[in-house]
Amino acid sequence: MRRILLIMIGASLLLQAGFSRDSSGVVADSATGLAWQDDYSDNAGEIKSATWQDALVYCEELSLGGKNDWRLPNYNELFSIVDTSRYNPAISSVFTNVTSHYYWSSTTNASDTSYAWVVHFNGGGDFWGSKSYENYVRCVRGQ
C-alpha cells in the first residue's frame, strides 16, 4: 500500500513538474512554452464568464504580468492543461483560480460554426457549446 501511495505521489509531481507560477498570477508550462492566466484581479477576483465573442475580446484586451499579447487558447492548447489524474478540478494544483466547469477555446466546431469547443475542468471532458452561451475564460500567450 505504501509503495502504491509513493508511486501516485511521484506521478502527481511529474505531472506538475512542467508548471510554475509567478507572483503576477501567470502559470508557465515548460512542456508547451505557453503562459496561462491564473489571476482575475481585473474582474474583481472572479474567473471571467462570457460568451465566445466576448471571451475573444477579453483575452485580446487583457494585460497581465506586464504582457498584453494574450489570446483565447485553441482546443489543443486548452486541453493540454487537463490533468485526468485529478477530478473536480481536473487541472494541476499549481492553478489556484479554477472553477470545475466549461472553459472556452477559440476553436470553432467544423460542422456548425455557431458552436465552439469547450473543455470541462470537472473531469476533463470536451464538448462543444453555442457561442451565445456564457462559459469561463482562461487566456494564454506564448512565453
Side-chain angles (χ1 to χ4, degrees):
M1 183 65 154
R2 181 178 170 180
R3 184 175 218 187
I4 293 172
L5 180 59
L6 290 174
I7 290 171
M8 289 175 62
I9 290 170
S12 177
L13 290 173
L14 283 174
L15 287 171
Q16 293 181 29
F19 293 109
S20 61
R21 182 185 176 85
D22 70 18
S23 61
S24 68
V26 175
V27 173
D29 182 352
S30 62
T32 62
L34 296 173
W36 293 91
Q37 174 191 23
D38 197 38
D39 177 272
Y40 294 87
S41 56
D42 66 305
N43 195 47
E46 299 292 322
I47 298 174
K48 180 71 173 174
S49 177
T51 63
W52 184 79
Q53 185 63 46
D54 288 345
L56 290 170
V57 171
Y58 170 77
C59 288
E60 289 172 3
E61 294 179 351
L62 180 65
S63 180
L64 177 65
K67 307 293 182 183
N68 60 5
D69 58 343
W70 296 91
R71 59 183 171 75
L72 194 62
N74 66 41
Y75 167 82
N76 290 326
E77 292 168 334
L78 187 58
F79 200 77
S80 77
I81 60 172
V82 169
D83 180 351
T84 56
S85 72
R86 297 176 49 89
Y87 181 77
N88 194 21
I91 191 171
S92 169
S93 61
V94 174
F95 290 88
T96 59
N97 293 300
V98 180
T99 297
S100 294
H101 209 276
Y102 297 104
Y103 284 76
W104 282 120
S105 81
S106 63
T107 307
T108 295
N109 184 312
S111 63
D112 186 343
T113 59
S114 66
Y115 288 81
W117 285 97
V118 295
V119 174
H120 195 270
F121 280 93
N122 188 43
D126 59 346
F127 308 94
W128 39 269
S130 171
K131 291 179 178 179
S132 65
Y133 295 166
E134 286 202 359
N135 288 307
Y136 289 100
V137 182
R138 183 174 304 278
C139 304
V140 70
R141 61 177 297 278
Q143 290 186 50

